[in-house]
Amino acid sequence: IDTPSSSGSLALIGMQAINIKDQNLGVIEEINNYGASDILKVVPTKASVDKEIRLIPYIKEKYIISHSYDKNCLVVDWELDF
């Protein structure tokens, strides 16, 4: 499984998390693994749509849509009320 912790890549830390509605959810602060999958901890910034901390499972093609190192952002399928 290609996940941030299994691949050893922590390049996602510091990336902006943007949902598919183009809402800024915050910045990825850390990546944890609690057994089932890696979990991205997204914390709010001044540019965020709200002040919520979010824990987003790193599951490609379900919640993780795409990422761009050039734009420093990760696109996620994650609603504000999840």
Side-chain angles (χ1 to χ4, degrees):
I1 298 172
D2 184 21
T3 65
S5 64
S6 69
S7 65
S9 172
L10 296 179
L12 298 178
I13 301 291
M15 276 191 168
Q16 292 290 319
I18 309 292
N19 71 10
I20 58 175
K21 293 182 179 177
D22 203 33
Q23 297 169 312
N24 186 330
L25 302 179
V27 67
I28 300 168
E29 181 179 77
E30 61 186 49
I31 302 168
N32 293 299
N33 188 294
Y34 300 107
S37 66
D38 286 337
I39 304 293
L40 306 177
K41 181 178 180 183
V42 178
V43 297
T45 65
K46 289 181 181 181
S48 299
V49 69
D50 59 23
K51 300 298 178 200
E52 295 295 319
I53 293 174
R54 293 179 168 83
L55 300 176
I56 303 174
Y58 190 88
I59 302 173
K60 287 184 177 181
E61 298 176 8
K62 182 168 184 171
Y63 301 119
I64 306 303
I65 305 305
S66 65
H67 66 277
S68 170
Y69 294 113
D70 294 337
K71 294 180 182 177
N72 195 40
C73 74
L74 182 75
V75 177
V76 296
D77 188 357
W78 200 259
E79 295 293 331
L80 296 180
D81 59 354
F82 281 5

